[in-house]
Amino acid sequence: MSDLMASDLITPDAGEPPLLSINEVSILKAAPLTRLSLRLREASLKAAGSAFGVDLPVLPLSSATADKRAALWMGPDEWTLFAPENTSQSVVSDIEGKLGAEPHSLVDVSERSEAIIVSGQRAAWLLNTGIFVDFSIDTFPVGTVSRTIFHKSPVMVWRIGDEAFVVEAWVSFMDYVSGLLVQSASELSAA
Amino acid sequence: MLLVYCPYCKVERAETEFSCRGEAHIARPSDPSQTSDEDWVHYLYMRSNTKGIYAERWRHIHGCGRFFNAVRDTVSDNFLKFYKAGEPMPDLEALAKEAGK
Amino acid sequence: MKRYSFLELAKNAFSAHQNWGRQWRNPEPKSEYDVVIVGAGGHGLATAYYLAKEHGVRNIAVVEKGWLGGGNTGRNTTIVRSNYLWEESAGLYNHAIDLWQGLSQELNYNVMYSARGVMMLAHTVHDVQVSQRHIHANRLAGVQNEWLSPEAAKEYCPPLNISKNIRYPVMGAALQRVGGTARHDAVAWGYARGADALGVDILQNCAVTGIRRDQNGAVEGVETAKGFIKAKKVGVVAAGHTSVVMEMAGVRLPLESYPLQALVSEPVKPAFPCVVMSNTIHAYISQSDKGELVIGAGTDQFISYSQTGGIHISNHTIDAICELFPHFRRMRMLRNWGGIVDVTPDRSPILSKTPVPGLYVNCGWGTGGFKATPGSGHVFAHTIAKDEPHPINAAFTIDRFRTGRLIDEAAAAAVAH
Amino acid sequence: MSQPFRTEKGGRINRTEQLTFTFDGEELQGHQGDTLASALLANGVHLVGRSFKYHRPRGIVTSGSEEPNALVGIYRHGDQTPNLRATQVELYQGLEAISQNRFPSLGFDVGAVNDLLSPLFPAGFYYKTFMWPKAFWDRVYEPVIRAAAGLGKPPKTPDQDTYGNIYAHCDVLIAGSGPAGLAAALAASETGAKVILCDEQSEFGGSLLSEVSASIDGKDPSEWIAETINKLEQMDNVTLLPRTTAFGYFAHNYLALAERVTEHLPNPDPKLPRERLWQVRAKEVVIASGAIERPMIFPENDRPGIMLAEAGRTYLNRYGVKVGHKVLVAAACDTAWQTAFDLADHGVEVAGIVDLRETPPENLMAIAKARGIRVEAGCMVTGTLGRKRVKAALLGRMMTSGNVASGGQISCDALLMSGGWTPTVSLYSQSRGKVVWDSDKGAYIPGASVQRERSAGASKGLYGLQEVLEDGYAAGEEAAKAAIGKSAKVSYATATGGEAGTGGTLGALPHDRNASRVKAFVDYQNDVTAKDVKLAVREGMQSIEHIKRYTTTGMATDQGRLSNMNALQIASDSLDRPVTDVGLTTFRLPYTPTTFGLFAGVARGDYFDPVRKTPSHDWVVENGGVFEDVGQWKRTWYFPKNGEDMHAAVARECKTVRESVGLFDASTLGKIEVVGPDAAEFLERLYTNPWKKLAPGRCRYGLLLNDAGFITDDGVIGRLAEDRFHVTTTTGGAPSVFATMEDYLQTEWPELDVWITSTTEQYAVAALQGPKARDVLAPFMEGVDLSADALPHMSVKEATFCGVPCRLFRISFTGELGFEINVSRRHGKMMWETLAKEIEKFGGTAYGTESMHVLRAEKGYIIVGQDTDGTVTPQDAGMSWAIGKKKADFVGKRGLDRPDLVADNRKQFVGLLTKDPKVKLEEGAQITTAENPAIGTPADGHVTSSYFSPALDRSIALAIVKNGHALEGKTLYVPMPDGSIPVEVTGPVFYDKEGARLNV
Ligand SMILES: Cc1cc2nc3c(=O)[nH]c(=O)nc-3n(C[C@H](O)[C@H](O)[C@H](O)COP(=O)(O)OP(=O)(O)OC[C@H]3O[C@@H](n4cnc5c(N)ncnc54)[C@H](O)[C@@H]3O)c2cc1C
Ligand SMILES: NC(=O)c1ccc[n+]([C@@H]2O[C@H](COP(=O)([O-])OP(=O)(O)OC[C@H]3O[C@@H](n4cnc5c(N)ncnc54)[C@H](O)[C@@H]3O)[C@@H](O)[C@H]2O)c1
Ligand SMILES: Cc1cc2nc3c(=O)[nH]c(=O)nc-3n(C[C@H](O)[C@H](O)[C@H](O)COP(=O)(O)O)c2cc1C
Ligand SMILES: [Zn+2]
């Protein structure tokens, strides 16, 4: 698997200064993107995948990516679909067109959350200051995605590289999440 | 903090990702209008509150969002089984025996 | 019973305290009692005491599976107050407050009831509304409760952080001055000694394992670790274990038993003058006479009979304490423990007859029954002796859950503690 | 002379680094590597504190975390941390320590009068007195007791330090790094397993750090430790945590460790946390927590200078400190002899070895003889002399009669004692394991494992160095095997020397003194004597739990680590029952007292709880708005202008909305998108109202009950398409409504083809309310006809606002013409600023939650949670109209039929008008039929909402009143402290009853 497997979708927001940039770890705001929440039954899996352009992953906590596309397993009948910013309408019409009357739910949640990219040698350590998940590479390999809890905020973590994670939180929680991460990282630069 | 296994995500996670929703297998009467006050109060409020092997509902609220059931020993807090919502209640006595209780 | 007093203490000092008698006997069970109380917690012992003292029933056993006072009575944060919302609750808890005032003298045992004031903080507009509603309701019911501005709250409790810059600033507080604390063990021991002196047999290490019923379904007696004990009436006062005991008589109850944790800090010199509670950010704190900060946490989310709980529960309680009292951040936890609290859907207790003739139950005190101990025992004794409730506990039936006539302290956003 | 008790050489201190510190203001010297205790002892200071109850002078007893006496306050940043153990405090340059629980000074303490009065203060004395006169308890007795009790002084200023947290997973966690722990770490790490090794001390090695007479693989123990640590440090899979106490063992092999990161540094970098909480999920655990020595219970066993023998040895060998110049050793076991020998080897005068045993082992006798040490066998200490430091010991000799005869007196300046060893089973017990009594060892040791753990070494009663090492290796291997299924060959080191000792005693020693006059301490800190334990038993306390609570033995800051076993034995003797029948008190967390800050971690200030902000937040701040907390959200409460108070601001805001237009941020309301072919069916089953016939493009007010029949939430629901609804909920109710929906969907009606998605944060919502709302909005909208016909009240359309897609609702919570515009969150700021600017043209205003409340109250709209409290039904609330009459079922329907919910006399929702329009009722005020109700009169209801209504220019109120609907026009009373306020019962709608203003 490539190091930054979803790099064409998850990119640092060029307009934003880094939230943190030290040797051991950096935290960057990710650029906006299209996010859709897709719910459907097993029978519609294939059709939805082909309409979206990448097969919907069925293994728990896994993700699948293709050119400018990512599909993240969120639950047994729930996927988050990532596509480039401002493509929501076309993606929606592709999928709706294909699924037609097959029972499903497709909801635009592009703006519900924000993402940051936490990367560097101490990235996993930093996440572990607030998240109880084993981020060792064997148990949380690249491509793994999971909702979880960071201190008192719900978050989603997607490992996009050996030492790189996307952390998403609902917008109103992001100050809390990124602020605490930056604060907890400060000891790394202690004398 | 308990460690809870989600049968949908197939991972063990910290209890804080989950919410516990009380006794399992308390079905909502299928025809409430034909249900007596006595039966309705049993559905609403009466609970086994077992000391020992107990089937209870959990939800992976900060994960996949699914409800599922678990059998737990309420004395040791050890889980004996996790199973998906909709699956029948396992034989608690057999589970207890298996666990050497 | 030898009366306790300073003089007696001085006298005994000369005989090197060799001549103090037992505070209670350790009798063998008789084969039959008029009343058997299951559970020697504060409520069970108080029930036996008042049955003997006020209703002339002398042939009583209190049957206890462990050591008396070892249940929630021995593990609570000892907050005593009566400023509950509904008339029924305020009536019940205030009855207890009335009895607390003279309890040391009544029992001739210093239970250290300390009316240092209980302050309940409001952090939001909604909290303020709820507090005000309590205060007005209490005034009408004759229950003391008053509103304090943040400044007045700080004056009453100088360590309080009333800065506007904390996450949930203090917008004021409801203060019940007659509220306070009492020494939990002394309450159990005082009632035990008092009951014992009136002839009550307290049978410790004697778990009830079954409830025997006759052909008509009426209670005949209890099976115990020490054999069958015949009884005309049985009162179950088993707190966290009530479901387990009542199941023995085939009675299902609207109860769930949760772990509730508490902790104490290392002892320090006086640092905290009153009791402070915050339901919104979940913190309860006072300082014991020995000097520890006594802190109550929340319940775990699952039922458990383990008398322990998760560390995240303590974390959340202590972070709230440190937010309100930031200079306590360097204090240290000495001991952390748990109890098993029996919680009803409306957070109010059940003090009631049951569908089984001769069987009575006193339970559902959840996180807040220590404060009610004297009142609860008093009216429950009445219920058992007369086979009908005292007016004060008439509303606290099991049947209220069927009819919908709940006494919902939880809905009114006043977490009972 | 500086450090008169320092040895010439030896120990692990750095003699070239001299440190200056102060104790009670006196400047003293020590070395790098000292603890405060060892440095004090090096200076000859034994008296370090006063006891809890009797204020007796007390000295250092141990060299570890179990220290009961030497508790001090340490100053930093102008404040002090109380109750730190001098035996654990690492010395640094400039350290400031103070003694505690004494006034005015350690040497002269007025509290010591308690010691003279002690005959009046036996165990539990306070339960027997202070009852008369009654009023004295609160005013006199209790304040005096409180002032006398407590140890150190609490900190006075907010803590400046920070605390860290880390969650970790490992295969094998090893608690304790003595020979057992180190061997376990070597064996486990060799397999590649992820290992964490922690020890509460500053250095790894445990008891080996003070071992000089044994060797391992032919090396000095210190050399072996260094090599071992070096090896472990090289391995990626090993995490070494010194200064880290495993303090809690929870269910499912979840352990909590406290790492002290900066406490030992003179000037720590403020970026570093003071302590760090490790929350570790370990697949397997090795408990290698060692054993601690037991004091002996003899009269006056608490004088400064009386210490544990092993502590004396540790001070000598590890810290290079002689605990005295003339040391008496009193023992019941072998290990203490080694201390005597080591002391003698350092030239310390050993006043003698007093052994309780008639025939101590030959080999020890021989060694003692070789060193010329006087040995008294079959002998015990029966008392001591010297108030602030021990001067001499009285000896007794056991006679065949069973009595004790005086055996003379030996002078000494330190007395080292050993009653044998107690395995440290705290963590094992916390793991819910049950200890078992080992009568050979006279100790409780771990029984069967309940969780995935094993004990090793002295913590399970193994004492010989060789067997401890072997046990450690085996435990490490076994743990790794169990965790990862692999084993590896490691070569076991072999030890010579360090053989297991024999002997030991439990309980009080016999003596020939007047029992009623002397005190033999069981629990030092809490001043519990053997007499107290016996008294408790005499008074009927038969359970060890009662004895503990009555005497407070074991309840001090060492949690009985030194005292429990002796107390148990004394109780057992008094009860005449075997120790095993008396029971054991429960070991609880924390293993040693643990800082609150550690538990609280990063949760402080803004990070105490997430601060959730809406897109208008910055604008509100700039424009002087005042916020209120609603759950985690910051919502604008009101917008004061030009020094207005809340009342004036709200009056202006309300008036403006009714006359022109107001702008309100409704973003916090919960939003749920319900999508799928069965969407309408789902809502039909859940909400009280009918949904199936609602046309796309239209909205309806929805009422949600619980199955008991009580109102739990409400909100407007818009139908966007046949299969798509936009549901709104209250701000606070959003998560629970969502959870309830999921619950019914997943577990009750899984057959329904419908899914829900939270869109609360997808949208920013601006409410424009007022007669000018349409005019304000029109210039920005495209794709929608805003006219009343095309977009009537209670409808919804998708359109664009300033070119961005939006969902436009025509709804009103004010009774005025109203729109709620939902744009994606990113455009929320733009929308808000655009509209805020535009309304200025119309003389409009932004308004906050308070005005929103007033405006809706004028219209009689309820707020769930304010006008309802979980006990209110739709009928009570006057909302029977919201119930779909033809529906067979919905959540709550059956509950509504229960006897009390259909009974007469229910409290119902009404309006109230005070007779005096200027009088505003207090929210929460009670309502009665009697004008002057007697105390105890049940209320007929209460005021749920109360405001001054600018539209009516008078006060209005909403209330829940018994039979309220039938009481319209009647007068009721609101009793207040200064008299009753008469009120007239009205309908809840005060303004525009016909709703004409809505439909424009
Ligand atoms: C951590 C904590 C903090 C609390 N804080 C407060 C507070 O601040 N203020 C307040 O008012 N309340 C508080 N409470 C609640 C309060 O402790 C209880 O409501 C009250 O003590 C209950 O008393 P009880 O006598 O009913 O129960 P308990 O004291 O629990 O007595 C019940 C007894 O029944 C015995 N029993 C059970 N089963 C059997 C059997 N089969 N056979 C024989 N005996 C049996 C038990 O061993 C036990 O001794 C707190 C509770 C906890 C756990
Ligand atoms: N000769 C005898 O009779 C006798 C008696 C007792 C002990 N010993 C000797 O003691 C040694 C025992 O070795 P061991 O390795 O079992 O024990 P140990 O005492 O050498 O090591 C235990 C270590 O665990 C640490 N510890 C304890 N609880 C902890 C916790 N909760 N968190 C973190 N650290 C904690 C202690 O600080 C200590 O460093 C052997 O050398 C043995 O010979 C001998
Ligand atoms: C109000 C109160 C104060 C307490 N103070 C102390 C204390 O100072 N020291 C102590 O060790 N335990 C203290 N405890 C806790 C008890 O030791 C014990 O943990 C508790 O009664 C529960 O019993 P258990 O831990 O044996 O299960 C206190 C308990 C209560 C309820
Ligand atoms: Zn899951």
Side-chain angles (χ1 to χ4, degrees), chain D residues 189-218:
Chain D
S189 60
E190 197 62 32
T191 63
K194 268 175 41 180
V195 173
I196 295 178
L197 172 66
C198 75
D199 197 294
E200 59 176 347
Q201 299 194 46
S202 58
E203 290 188 87
F204 293 113
S207 57
L208 286 182
L209 296 168
S210 45
E211 181 58 69
V212 293
S213 43
S215 67
I216 303 176
D217 275 353

Side-chain angles (χ1 to χ4, degrees), chain A residues 2-185:
Chain A
S2 76
D3 190 31
L4 275 182
M5 49 179 279
S7 57
D8 61 341
L9 270 174
I10 305 287
T11 52
D13 191 331
E16 298 270 351
L19 293 165
L20 178 77
S21 168
I22 54 175
N23 276 342
E24 295 83 353
V25 58
S26 73
I27 304 178
L28 306 170
K29 276 218 158 172
L33 79 149
T34 290
R35 298 178 179 88
L36 297 165
S37 172
L38 176 63
R39 313 289 297 269
L40 42 70
R41 304 221 186 258
E42 212 179 325
S44 317
L45 265 173
K46 273 238 154 58
S50 73
F52 179 54
V54 58
D55 284 345
L56 301 185
V58 291
L59 272 182
L61 311 184
S62 70
S63 59
T65 55
D67 188 28
K68 302 246 183 290
R69 289 287 184 271
L72 279 53
W73 187 97
M74 291 284 114
D77 66 350
E78 179 182 0
W79 290 265
T80 297
L81 309 181
F82 283 174
E85 189 186 5
N86 297 330
T87 61
S88 158
Q89 288 204 338
S90 65
V91 177
V92 167
S93 61
D94 288 353
I95 298 177
E96 293 288 5
K98 188 89 172 221
L99 289 180
E102 284 186 53
H104 69 279
S105 153
L106 186 60
V107 177
D108 187 346
V109 289
S110 301
E111 316 267 328
R112 186 174 66 175
S113 32
E114 285 175 350
I116 51 175
I117 305 163
V118 182
S119 61
Q121 181 206 328
R122 299 299 294 275
W125 172 85
L126 185 56
L127 296 186
N128 274 140
T129 60
I131 301 177
F132 177 88
V133 166
D134 185 355
F135 288 119
S136 65
I137 198 80
D138 314 331
T139 41
F140 204 93
V142 175
T144 308
V145 61
S146 181
R147 280 191 286 237
T148 181
I149 278 277
F150 171 81
H151 293 291
K152 295 178 181 178
S153 168
V155 292
M156 187 204 82
V157 180
W158 183 27
R159 187 174 213 145
I160 55 169
D162 283 356
E163 293 180 350
F165 300 84
V166 173
V167 177
E168 280 204 356
W170 284 8
V171 180
S172 69
F173 288 99
M174 195 36 115
D175 284 351
Y176 173 87
V177 173
S178 57
L180 267 180
L181 283 171
V182 171
Q183 179 184 300
S184 297

Side-chain angles (χ1 to χ4, degrees), chain A residues 73, chain B residues 6-11 18 60 63-66 68:
Chain A
W73 187 97
Chain B
C6 172
Y8 294 94
C9 293
K10 299 198 163 42
V11 284
F18 299 83
H60 197 180
C64 64
R66 296 300 90 190
F68 58 90

Side-chain angles (χ1 to χ4, degrees), chain A residues 39 41 77 85 104 106 108-112 125 128-129 132 134 152 170 172 179 183 187 190-191, chain D residues 165-167 169 254 269 271 276 602 607-608 612 724 750 752-753 755-756 758 761-762 824-826:
Chain A
R39 313 289 297 269
R41 304 221 186 258
D77 66 350
E85 189 186 5
H104 69 279
L106 186 60
D108 187 346
V109 289
S110 301
E111 316 267 328
R112 186 174 66 175
W125 172 85
N128 274 140
T129 60
F132 177 88
D134 185 355
K152 295 178 181 178
W170 284 8
S172 69
Q183 179 184 300
E187 70 168 281
Chain D
N165 180 69
I166 191 88
Y167 293 102
H169 293 72
Y254 196 77
D269 187 326
K271 287 196 192 111
R276 187 193 326 275
V602 299
Y607 297 125
F608 174 68
R612 303 179 70 183
R724 189 175 291 255
L752 293 185
D753 276 324
W755 293 269
I756 62 169
S758 170
E761 299 227 22
Q762 168 71 8
S824 63
R825 163 104 193 191
R826 179 156 36 130

Side-chain angles (χ1 to χ4, degrees), chain D residues 210-398:
Chain D
S210 45
E211 181 58 69
V212 293
S213 43
S215 67
I216 303 176
D217 275 353
K219 294 167 212 152
D220 275 352
S222 59
E223 205 182 328
W224 184 78
I225 297 172
E227 279 176 15
T228 302
I229 296 303
N230 191 35
K231 198 166 188 180
L232 293 171
E233 270 170 350
Q234 306 299 316
M235 303 177 89
D236 282 348
N237 55 328
V238 178
T239 306
L240 295 177
L241 298 175
R243 299 188 181 88
T244 303
T245 306
F247 70 82
Y249 198 140
F250 300 87
H252 304 174
N253 258 25
Y254 196 77
L255 285 94
L257 325 178
E259 180 190 8
R260 289 175 299 280
V261 183
T262 61
E263 195 86 323
H264 60 292
L265 303 172
N267 289 305
D269 187 326
K271 287 196 192 111
L272 290 172
R274 176 171 174 245
E275 296 181 30
R276 187 193 326 275
L277 174 62
W278 286 73
Q279 301 189 57
V280 183
R281 151 72 164 166
K283 290 206 182 107
E284 298 288 331
V285 172
V286 176
I287 300 171
S289 52
I292 59 173
E293 214 172 3
R294 229 172 14 246
M296 293 174 116
I297 313 290
F298 51 80
E300 298 108 18
N301 60 344
D302 67 325
R303 302 210 190 280
I306 302 181
M307 309 174 73
L308 289 171
E310 191 67 15
R313 185 157 177 252
T314 297
Y315 286 116
L316 184 72
N317 294 339
R318 180 167 170 187
Y319 298 103
V321 172
K322 300 178 265 190
V323 295
H325 287 320
K326 186 172 179 194
V327 181
L328 178 66
V329 175
C333 62
D334 302 351
T335 50
W337 290 61
Q338 190 62 47
T339 303
F341 302 156
D342 289 358
L343 283 168
D345 293 350
H346 273 89
V348 176
E349 182 185 344
V350 177
I353 299 176
V354 177
D355 199 310
L356 196 59
R357 297 172 293 182
E358 287 296 338
T359 46
E362 294 280 332
N363 61 328
L364 296 179
M365 298 284 279
I367 300 171
K369 190 164 177 206
R371 284 171 169 72
I373 299 174
R374 167 179 169 190
V375 173
E376 298 288 343
C379 205
M380 74 289 286
V381 175
T382 58
T384 63
L385 305 177
R387 183 146 175 89
K388 293 181 194 161
R389 174 138 183 196
V390 65
K391 278 197 208 128
L394 311 178
L395 301 190
R397 197 173 294 283
M398 183 66 86

Side-chain angles (χ1 to χ4, degrees), chain C residues 24 26 89 136 174 188 213 238 305 318 328-329:
Chain C
W24 51 80
N26 221 357
S89 319
H136 287 298
R213 299 167 62 181
Y305 290 83
I318 296 175
F328 286 163
R329 207 173 284 270

